[in-house]
């Protein structure tokens, strides 16, 4: 398959490019280094150094003999995307080309505007490039479990049948996101649904929970192929942050009461999910929505798991509740469905002590690089 990966420099984009290449697909990727630039502007650089995208592709070629074609360019620029679609004629496009951070989107007007413009423009351009140049190409879009928020009823996979005054209709499941970033994902889903039902494009929208992990089979071939691993308050996700805090000897930063529940998954499982979605595609005129996580935990449970794993490697991990910088329920009902990807063949890798210990050992090698000024929350929802 010809697979085009948008946002190929990212935490998920780069390992995905290697994953598809290693399985015999022709991979082309595009990135404008937006996340690298924003991370630099906000003093939120990743823990390990990451060579630029052409260099990473060259290193990957030298260890695997596999090619990944790289374009440095902006998916929000339609002429660039259009040209690549015409040249490459992708059969699947994996769309990660978005500003990925909730906290970044809540800094102020400029950051909110950038997030809104970038995320909606890239999605809109992907839809139009498919319509104009590759109508049978399927779109695999990374959405977020955060689109649903934390409603007081069970969360379904994308759709809800509503009965009203004796009549029934299936609608997109009600969404109520907790940051402007998460709200752009809701708007993306609405855009995609309009073009699916009106023009018959093929879309899988993956509602993903927070991801953790820093290795995949391909990334482990050479340390320079590791995904960019953030532990700061803006681009770092909670499990990755907690592991770095444990190594740095900083008490784990539980926001508020710590009863917030989310659905988590290992980076390796993100690879599997995206691969399954692309190789077992949605039909024409189908918006297939799958909830992408393997297990749910409260923040307190995560902290406890990291504490346990820390003990195994001789770390005395402290946990401390701090004032919650976000507006979010800290105790709530949470029961999301997630059978779709399992039915497609997902084999979950769970968050065992062994997995966390493996991550801690890797992070410990970079202990000297940890900048503790990046750990405490700098962005408040106000
Ligand atoms: N949290 C803490 N302490 C921390 C960091 C986070 O208690 O030091 C809490 C947050 O308040 C939240 C939960 O942990 O309740 C998850 O936070 P997160 O920063 O790991 O995840 P979030 O901001 O929701 O965003 C991440 C990714 C985003 C993805 C989303 C999936 O950055 O791209 O869409 O996870 S989900 O959370 O299901 O919406």
């Amino acid at each position: 398959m010809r697979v085009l990966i948008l946002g190929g420099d990212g935490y998920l984009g780069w390992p995905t490019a290697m994953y598809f290449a290693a399985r015999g697909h022709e991979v082309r990727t595009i990135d404008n280094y937006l996340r690298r630039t924003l991370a630099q502007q906000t003093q939120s650089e990743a823990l390990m150094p990451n060579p630029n995208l052409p260099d990473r592709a060259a290193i990957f070629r030298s260890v695997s003999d596999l090619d990944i074609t790289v374009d440095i360019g902006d998916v929000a620029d339609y002429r660039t995307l259009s040209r690549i679609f015409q040249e490459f004629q992708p059969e699947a496009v994996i769309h990660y080309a978005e500003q990925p951070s909730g906290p970044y989107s809540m800094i102020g007007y400029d950051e909110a505007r950038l997030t809104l413009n970038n995320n909606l423009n890239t999605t809109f351009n992907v839809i139009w490039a498919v319509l104009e140049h590759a109508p049978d190409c399927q779109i695999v879009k990374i959405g977020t479990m955060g689109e649903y928020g934390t409603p007081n009823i069970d969360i379904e996979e994308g759709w809800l049948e509503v009965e009203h005054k004796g009549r029934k209709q299936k609608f997109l499941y009600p969404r109520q996101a907790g940051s402007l970033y998460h709200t752009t994902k809701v708007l993306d889903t609405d855009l995609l649904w309009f073009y699916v039902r009106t023009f018959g494009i093929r879309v899988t929208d993956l509602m993903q929970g927070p991801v953790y992990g820093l290795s995949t089979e391909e990334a482990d071939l050479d340390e320079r192929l590791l995904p960019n691993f953030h532990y700061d308050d803006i681009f770092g996700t909670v499990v990755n942050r907690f592991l770095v805090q444990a190594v740095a000897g900083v008490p784990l930063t539980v926001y508020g009461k710590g009863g917030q529940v989310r659905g988590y998954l290992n980076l390796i499982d993100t690879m599997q999910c995206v691969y399954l979605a692309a190789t077992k595609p949605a039909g024409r005129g189908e918006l297939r929505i799958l909830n992408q996580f393997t297990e749910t935990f409260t923040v307190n449970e995560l902290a406890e798991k990291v504490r346990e794993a820390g003990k195994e490697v001789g770390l005395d991990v402290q946990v401390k509740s701090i004032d919650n910088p976000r507006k979010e329920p800290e105790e709530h009902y949470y029961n999301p469905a997630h059978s779709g990807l399992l039915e497609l063949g997902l084999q979950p890798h769970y968050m065992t002590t062994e997995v966390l210990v493996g991550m801690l050992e890797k992070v410990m090698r970079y202990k000297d690089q940890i900048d503790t000024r990046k750990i405490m929350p700098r962005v408040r929802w106000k």
Side-chain angles (χ1 to χ4, degrees), residues 2 22 28 34 66 120 162 172 206 277 289-290 310 312 333 356:
R2 286 182 303 281
R28 184 156 173 174
L34 176 69
L66 294 166
L120 286 171
V162 177
L172 282 171
L206 296 168
I289 301 179
L290 301 166
E312 300 281 317
Y333 181 76
L356 294 178

Side-chain angles (χ1 to χ4, degrees), residues 100 144-146 181-182 208 210 238 241 253 255 299 326 328:
T144 171
M145 283 300 291
Y181 151 76
H182 291 88
Q208 183 169 243
V238 62
R241 272 169 62 68
T253 53
Y255 292 170
V299 175
R326 307 182 183 194
E328 62 182 0

Side-chain angles (χ1 to χ4, degrees), residues 71-347:
D71 291 88
I72 302 304
D74 188 355
V75 174
D77 171 24
Y78 190 60
R79 276 173 313 175
T80 302
L81 189 66
S82 225
R83 175 179 56 76
I84 292 172
F85 259 76
Q86 285 176 70
E87 283 170 16
F88 189 59
Q89 289 293 314
E91 290 155 282
V93 55
I94 320 285
H95 175 21
Y96 291 116
E98 301 215 338
Q99 191 295 99
S101 158
Y104 181 84
S105 75
M106 301 298 286
I107 294 176
Y109 177 85
D110 290 342
E111 294 80 5
R113 182 87 248 172
L114 181 149
T115 305
L116 187 68
N117 284 351
N118 181 78
N119 293 4
L120 286 171
N121 286 337
T122 55
T123 301
F124 184 72
N125 284 351
V126 173
I127 293 168
W128 272 93
V130 165
L131 283 174
E132 293 203 309
H133 306 300
D136 214 37
C137 170
Q138 50 142 341
I139 299 173
V140 177
K141 164 75 173 53
I142 299 295
T144 171
M145 283 300 291
E147 293 187 35
Y148 303 119
T150 52
N152 201 29
I153 58 171
D154 289 357
I155 296 173
E156 303 304 326
E157 292 202 80
W159 304 93
L160 186 67
E161 181 150 298
V162 177
E163 189 172 341
H164 182 61
K165 296 184 178 172
R167 302 177 70 82
K168 284 185 186 167
Q169 163 94 41
K170 215 168 162 192
F171 293 98
L172 282 171
Y173 190 94
R175 282 125 341 123
Q176 40 188 2
S179 80
L180 193 268
Y181 151 76
H182 291 88
T183 302
T184 63
K185 297 272 182 175
V186 173
L187 300 172
D188 283 341
T189 300
D190 276 320
L191 262 185
L192 290 163
W193 176 216
F194 169 72
Y195 282 98
V196 164
R197 67 180 189 266
T198 310
F199 294 93
I201 57 173
R202 309 145 70 101
V203 178
T204 302
D205 200 347
L206 296 168
M207 301 297 162
Q208 183 169 243
V211 183
Y212 61 91
L214 50 59
S215 71
T216 65
E217 215 178 300
E218 296 77 31
D220 286 344
L221 294 171
D222 186 306
E223 292 245 319
R224 294 167 297 170
L225 299 176
L226 290 177
N228 41 271
F229 185 77
H230 285 277
Y231 62 97
D232 59 277
D233 61 314
I234 296 179
F235 292 98
T237 47
V238 62
V239 180
N240 293 351
R241 272 169 62 68
F242 280 3
L243 292 165
V244 173
Q245 292 167 4
V247 171
V250 173
L252 308 189
T253 53
V254 169
Y255 292 170
K257 292 188 188 139
Q260 303 91 312
V261 190
R262 299 289 183 270
Y264 292 87
L265 79 165
N266 192 310
L267 179 61
I268 299 170
D269 290 343
T270 295
M271 301 299 104
Q272 274 194 73
C273 291
V274 169
Y275 194 78
L276 285 167
T279 51
K280 300 184 176 180
R284 259 197 164 274
E286 183 187 2
L287 171 59
R288 176 174 61 172
I289 301 179
L290 301 166
N291 293 346
Q292 184 165 314
F293 65 92
T294 56
E295 45 192 343
T296 59
F297 299 110
T298 65
V299 175
N300 287 328
E301 285 167 338
L302 292 177
E304 189 48 33
K305 279 176 165 291
V306 172
R307 215 175 57 77
E308 285 294 320
K311 259 197 237 159
E312 300 281 317
V313 288
L315 296 170
D316 176 22
V317 179
Q318 305 292 313
V319 179
K320 191 172 170 209
S321 161
I322 59 171
D323 192 27
N324 195 340
R326 307 182 183 194
K327 265 196 192 131
E328 62 182 0
E330 292 171 8
E331 280 168 338
H332 57 89
Y333 181 76
Y334 200 63
N335 189 25
H338 60 117
S339 56
L341 281 156
L342 294 169
E343 281 158 21
L344 284 183
L346 169 67
Q347 306 278 327

